[in-house]
Amino acid sequence: MASAFNIQPIGRFNGECEPVKRPKEIACFSYDDKHEFHLDDRSLQWYYPPELGADLSRGFNQFDKHDDSKDEHIDSLLKTIMAHEEEEGKKIDAQIVTWRGMMTKIMSAPFEDRDGFEMNATLYQVRDFIEENHAWKQALKQEQRQQQPRRGQMSPDIMTYWGYKFETLCCLPRPWGEVSRDLIENRDKEIVSNKAQYCSVVRTGIGKTILCLGGEVDAIWDSKPMEKGAPINWIELKTSVEIRDDRTMQNFERKLMKFWVQSFLLGVPKIIVGFRSQKGILTKLEEIQTAKIPETAAKRGVRSWDANMCINFASAFLEWLRNTINDEGVWRIRRRPRSSTIEVFRVEEVGHGSILTDEFINWRIKLSLNSSGGSGSGNS
């Protein structure tokens, strides 16, 4: 039988913001240019401003696109957690482990209901591990591809490419002082690929729930501090159609919520938006401080979303979720498009499906034995 969490009325999430723990990077990993996993920061990139006037469609036919039809689960996140726990000699204390993208969907839920979402979750050692339901994601993508673009609008594939092209135009593989002028000036000719990624793994908290989140970071402004857990000057890169009238302004204000949530969850302090024409020509850059977005939105009289309500909703939902997923098996977290409720129900009575790897389970058993046998440093 399904349990349901009511999103409406959202007015009950108004008021003072629930406590939030600043995201601190505890580990990282990279995918290389073949999308192979490495426990290091080899795919870290540095920000360097792009040339305005660039055509974001250039090179579309050579796009080296990652094939996301294979379900990668949360395997890379689990490997990184294992390495961190081995280094620390104890389990992480997070009550929920997931990708930043899943938390973005949850936090945005009071104000974004168009597509809905589906996730799979499993309880292990009093922790919830959550991933996207891959079959649902692939079906949604197929449905979106079959929709006809509005008159004058480019295809969804080209518009997705624009975002990756903008990242290529904005990034360097090393700090600018260590790369040639030739490399900087010829970024527009590079073949665009979305296979390589740097992923940050952070410990954070919303309300009474401690989270371990993994998510891709686009670039860094300067360099990573030596002190572990210190704030990092990450950059999130986004594209948006240039603001020309009330409609495009309202669209941008709605986008700002997602920009803010994504950056807030990983502790990214600055977002750089590349504004583009309808045809994909880069016309303007704007730097936005993540922390100032809610205040700026409130001053502008934005009524389409509210930051405190996003946080308070996430706090209440996560607490409810931890009480609802109270036994083993695989659970589905589902919000149908336009629905005012999030349903949670069990789809497999036993085991952990493919959410947890055997390697991770064996590691946790070994760690528990080591803890109970000697140091006692593990916390269940």
Side-chain angles (χ1 to χ4, degrees):
M1 199 174 101
S3 300
F5 185 90
N6 288 318
I7 299 167
Q8 300 291 344
I10 60 171
R12 71 190 197 274
F13 304 114
N14 222 331
E16 281 300 301
C17 174
E18 284 286 323
V20 172
K21 288 182 173 62
R22 177 178 71 77
K24 293 183 180 180
E25 185 175 84
I26 58 169
C28 69
F29 68 89
S30 292
Y31 293 117
D32 64 20
D33 55 12
K34 293 179 182 166
H35 202 72
E36 288 173 358
F37 172 88
H38 301 274
L39 261 174
D40 56 35
D41 64 1
R42 71 182 62 192
S43 294
L44 184 63
Q45 298 202 93
W46 279 259
Y47 175 73
Y48 190 87
E51 289 284 324
L52 294 180
D55 181 357
L56 298 177
S57 300
R58 183 176 179 180
F60 174 67
N61 292 331
Q62 286 82 45
F63 183 28
D64 184 21
K65 189 173 185 287
H66 171 57
D67 177 10
D68 63 0
S69 61
K70 178 176 172 282
D71 192 349
E72 297 177 11
H73 299 285
I74 54 170
D75 295 5
S76 299
L77 186 53
L78 297 178
K79 283 180 194 170
T80 310
I81 289 169
M82 284 166 55
H84 173 72
E85 290 179 341
E86 191 165 15
E87 199 178 294
E88 296 288 314
K90 61 181 180 181
K91 279 189 279 189
I92 59 169
D93 63 351
Q95 294 146 322
I96 288 180
V97 175
T98 190
W99 294 120
R100 182 256 310 263
M102 301 304 96
M103 269 309 301
T104 299
K105 290 175 191 289
I106 288 167
M107 265 187 85
S108 307
F111 304 104
E112 178 56 70
D113 66 357
R114 191 182 62 190
D115 294 329
F117 53 74
E118 279 196 20
M119 305 174 195
N120 296 324
T122 195
L123 182 72
Y124 180 63
Q125 296 183 333
V126 211
R127 309 282 187 258
D128 290 328
F129 295 80
I130 302 171
E131 65 175 20
E132 189 154 36
N133 179 12
H134 186 71
W136 174 86
K137 180 186 174 184
Q138 293 301 110
L140 179 68
K141 278 189 170 181
Q142 188 60 32
E143 190 183 307
Q144 288 170 341
R145 279 196 195 103
Q146 287 167 352
Q147 289 172 359
Q148 290 297 315
R150 288 198 302 270
R151 193 177 169 186
Q153 194 179 51
M154 300 292 220
S155 79
D157 287 344
I158 288 184
M159 292 173 79
T160 300
Y161 175 79
W162 287 347
Y164 294 120
K165 177 70 174 180
F166 181 61
E167 287 177 25
T168 303
L169 293 172
C170 287
C171 292
L172 300 172
R174 296 179 299 285
W176 71 270
E178 297 174 24
V179 298
S180 68
R181 173 57 53 188
D182 196 47
L183 189 147
I184 291 171
E185 291 176 354
N186 285 294
R187 287 176 291 173
D188 192 26
K189 295 174 186 168
E190 275 183 48
I191 289 176
V192 175
S193 172
N194 65 342
K195 291 180 179 176
Q197 295 175 12
Y198 171 93
C199 294
S200 182
V201 178
V202 304
R203 179 189 186 269
T204 185
I206 298 175
K208 295 175 182 171
T209 303
I210 299 169
L211 299 148
C212 175
L213 303 177
E216 183 186 2
V217 171
D218 293 328
I220 193 166
W221 187 266
D222 43 23
S223 60
K224 284 176 78 171
M226 296 298 288
E227 184 194 342
K228 210 169 184 180
I232 304 171
N233 286 323
W234 295 129
I235 298 286
E236 182 79 22
L237 298 166
K238 295 290 184 187
T239 58
S240 190
V241 69
E242 54 196 353
I243 298 166
R244 291 190 170 273
D245 50 32
D246 285 349
R247 188 178 64 82
T248 48
M249 172 56 90
Q250 285 166 4
N251 284 345
F252 181 66
E253 285 170 350
R254 276 196 293 273
K255 268 189 166 184
L256 265 183
M257 176 184 72
K258 195 172 180 186
F259 292 177
W260 171 73
V261 171
Q262 287 178 326
S263 296
F264 169 85
L265 287 169
L266 279 194
V268 177
K270 190 181 287 188
I271 302 161
I272 293 176
V273 182
F275 287 96
R276 56 160 182 85
S277 70
Q278 295 282 3
K279 298 289 185 187
I281 303 299
L282 185 63
T283 57
K284 180 187 164 190
L285 293 177
E286 186 175 336
E287 288 181 18
I288 301 173
Q289 302 295 328
T290 304
K292 290 184 178 172
I293 290 176
E295 185 189 342
T296 306
K299 278 182 183 170
R300 281 183 181 172
V302 173
R303 292 202 175 93
S304 55
W305 65 280
D306 177 272
N308 280 5
M309 288 170 83
C310 289
I311 291 168
N312 294 340
F313 169 81
S315 170
F317 175 74
L318 293 174
E319 203 173 333
W320 174 84
L321 186 70
R322 289 194 289 118
N323 289 323
T324 303
I325 297 178
N326 55 12
D327 206 349
E328 69 169 314
V330 175
W331 300 69
R332 180 74 36 82
I333 304 165
R334 180 175 70 192
R335 185 194 190 174
R336 296 180 192 272
R338 308 291 182 193
S339 171
S340 61
T341 60
I342 300 176
E343 305 165 90
V344 174
F345 52 96
R346 197 152 34 166
V347 290
E348 292 177 31
E349 292 296 318
V350 294
H352 304 289
S354 300
I355 302 170
L356 301 182
T357 59
D358 290 343
E359 184 188 22
F360 181 76
I361 292 168
N362 291 337
W363 158 252
R364 279 296 183 85
I365 292 167
K366 181 184 169 187
L367 186 59
S368 296
L369 290 171
N370 289 348
S371 298
S372 57
S375 65
S377 61
N379 45 31
S380 60

